[in-house]
Amino acid sequence: MDSLLFLCARRIVAHRPLPALPAELYPVLFQAAFLDGRPLVLRDLVAAWPFPVLNFQRLVGRRELLRDHPCKLCVQAVILAVVAQLRRELEEPGNDSRLRVLDVTGLPDSASGRAPDGMSVWSGTVALAKACVEVSKHRREFQRRGSKRHKGRSGAATAAAAPPPPGVDVHADLFVNGTSYGILRDALQTAAAGPLRLKCREFQAEELSAAGIVTLLESMDPSRVRRVDLRFNNLGLAGLSVILPHLSRFPELRSLKLQYSNVDVRRPTPESAIGIRCLAGQLGMLPGLRELNLGSSRLSGNLRQILCFHAPALKRLDLSGHDFSQGLLEPLRLLLEETSASLLHLDLMECRMADSQLAALLPTLRRCSRLRFLGLYGNSLSTAALKDLLRKTLELPDLRLVVYPFPADRREPELGRDFGEEPEAEISGILASCGRSDLVWTYNPYGHGALDYFSL
């Protein structure tokens, strides 16, 4: 239920112009204007923002609220208001705003939301990049005009000679592909010391060359980057060996996603052996790494060598799509032994594991005392093996979610039909009798929210 203060704020933002208001009301007014979809009011509020920081998530609240409300026009309005303020600060010295940090991190991607007018991370990246380039271009043109005039003969000349305003840092999550590469490169390079400066928190790139990715990484402020996501880039071992050395300049890097990077060393060659050693050494230069996603990268037999530098510290590990059948299980078992004290999330979906592989792995899994999530969907496991797994992992106190495969010895239900009484009812009965109502077992890999490392 909305508070009386919020209801009053909604009434106020329903009419323009806004009256003079105390600074402490600005946050609730911003929230009301954003959730009610009032972009013009948001521009007014940002123009007179009385605080040094404007953080979207802290102001608007839960991601669920953002996801259910159209936000594209509202986010654009805030960006345009900041651009307009920076232009005023440049042309009218002394007319400085208090706003110094605009934080738009954590906004939900419209592709996963329900609001038809939401803003995707990609379109948000483009909008911010264009704003940075525009403000930098305006400053250069203003300074050029002022330098052509005799000092003291015009206000423009006086303004041009004044110290530049401090500008605004924009903290954002960036998503780039081949279409948006050029504008983001220009924003990171030409606007690095400009009035509007992009500070990346999470960086995702798709369909880019290794050289293009390196150009963007080298142009970023290294102080805030916590995640690099390079899925679907077809990099191969050669491309990864070019990129990974550049990640060591990010001291806060905690998460690295490299799934579907077209790394295939199932048939070893002298060249691939050198590449694996190089990859292992480069990962070893990232001591702060806590999440690593190597899904579908076909490195099964080389995992322990690659991860040996990080195994004791890893908290989230995604090895889905690897082949751990036959003789490739031992590297995985040894790896889990090393991660057992820290691992919270383990994804082994579609890894060609059968009952015998699970049985061999189970003693090691039971030593992962902090494990919260276990993904086994897509493996050929019997009902008996799943029940054995259930009983022997009940002792893991933090385990909250297990995504298991439909048992290989049962007929899979028809499309659109429920699982049926067995074995779902049996699993539910065991959980209830053991007092583990906090633990969920599901055979639906899409029926639960993705557990992000930074929310673990």
Coordinates of all heavy atoms in Angstrom, one line a residue, residues 18 47 83 129-130 132 231 254 278 289 315 401 448:
L18 N 6.1 22.9 -11.2 CA 6.1 22.5 -9.8 C 6.3 23.7 -8.9 O 7.1 24.6 -9.3 CB 7.3 21.5 -9.6 CG 7.2 20.1 -10.3 CD1 8.5 19.3 -10.0 CD2 6.0 19.3 -9.9
A47 N 16.8 19.2 -13.3 CA 17.4 20.6 -13.5 C 17.7 21.3 -12.1 O 18.6 22.1 -12.1 CB 16.5 21.4 -14.3
V83 N 22.2 16.7 -19.8 CA 22.9 17.4 -20.9 C 22.6 18.9 -20.9 O 23.5 19.7 -21.1 CB 22.4 16.7 -22.2 CG1 22.9 17.6 -23.4 CG2 23.0 15.3 -22.3
A129 N 25.8 7.1 -24.7 CA 27.0 7.4 -25.5 C 26.8 8.6 -26.4 O 27.7 9.5 -26.5 CB 27.3 6.2 -26.3
K130 N 25.6 8.7 -27.0 CA 25.3 9.9 -27.8 C 25.3 11.2 -27.0 O 25.8 12.2 -27.4 CB 24.0 9.7 -28.5 CG 24.0 8.7 -29.6 CD 22.6 8.6 -30.3 CE 22.6 7.6 -31.4 NZ 21.3 7.5 -32.1
C132 N 27.1 11.7 -24.2 CA 28.5 12.1 -23.9 C 29.2 12.7 -25.1 O 29.9 13.7 -24.9 CB 29.3 10.8 -23.5 SG 28.8 10.1 -22.0
R231 N 30.0 -13.4 -24.1 CA 29.4 -14.5 -24.7 C 29.1 -14.3 -26.2 O 28.9 -13.2 -26.6 CB 28.1 -14.9 -23.9 CG 27.0 -13.8 -24.2 CD 25.7 -14.1 -23.4 NE 25.8 -13.6 -22.1 CZ 24.8 -13.7 -21.2 NH1 23.7 -14.3 -21.5 NH2 25.0 -13.1 -20.0
R254 N 35.0 -9.1 -10.7 CA 34.6 -10.3 -9.9 C 34.0 -11.4 -10.8 O 34.0 -12.5 -10.4 CB 33.6 -9.9 -8.8 CG 34.2 -8.9 -7.8 CD 35.2 -9.6 -6.9 NE 35.8 -8.7 -6.0 CZ 36.9 -7.9 -6.2 NH1 37.5 -8.0 -7.3 NH2 37.3 -7.1 -5.2
C278 N 48.6 -20.7 -21.8 CA 48.5 -19.2 -21.8 C 47.2 -18.7 -21.2 O 47.2 -17.8 -20.4 CB 48.5 -18.7 -23.3 SG 48.4 -17.0 -23.5
L289 N 38.7 -12.6 -9.1 CA 37.6 -13.3 -9.8 C 36.8 -14.3 -8.9 O 37.5 -15.1 -8.2 CB 38.1 -14.1 -11.0 CG 37.2 -14.2 -12.2 CD1 36.8 -12.9 -12.7 CD2 37.9 -15.0 -13.3
K315 N 33.0 -18.7 -6.3 CA 31.7 -18.8 -5.7 C 30.6 -19.2 -6.6 O 29.6 -19.9 -6.2 CB 31.3 -17.5 -5.0 CG 32.2 -17.1 -3.8 CD 31.7 -15.8 -3.1 CE 32.5 -15.5 -1.9 NZ 32.1 -14.3 -1.2
L401 N 18.0 -24.5 -4.1 CA 17.4 -24.8 -5.4 C 18.2 -25.9 -6.1 O 19.4 -25.7 -6.3 CB 17.3 -23.6 -6.2 CG 16.6 -23.7 -7.6 CD1 15.2 -24.2 -7.5 CD2 16.7 -22.4 -8.3
H448 N 12.4 -20.6 -12.7 CA 12.9 -19.9 -11.6 C 13.8 -18.8 -12.0 O 14.3 -18.7 -13.2 CB 13.8 -20.9 -10.7 CG 14.9 -21.5 -11.5 ND1 16.2 -20.9 -11.6 CD2 15.0 -22.6 -12.2 CE1 17.0 -21.6 -12.4 NE2 16.3 -22.7 -12.8

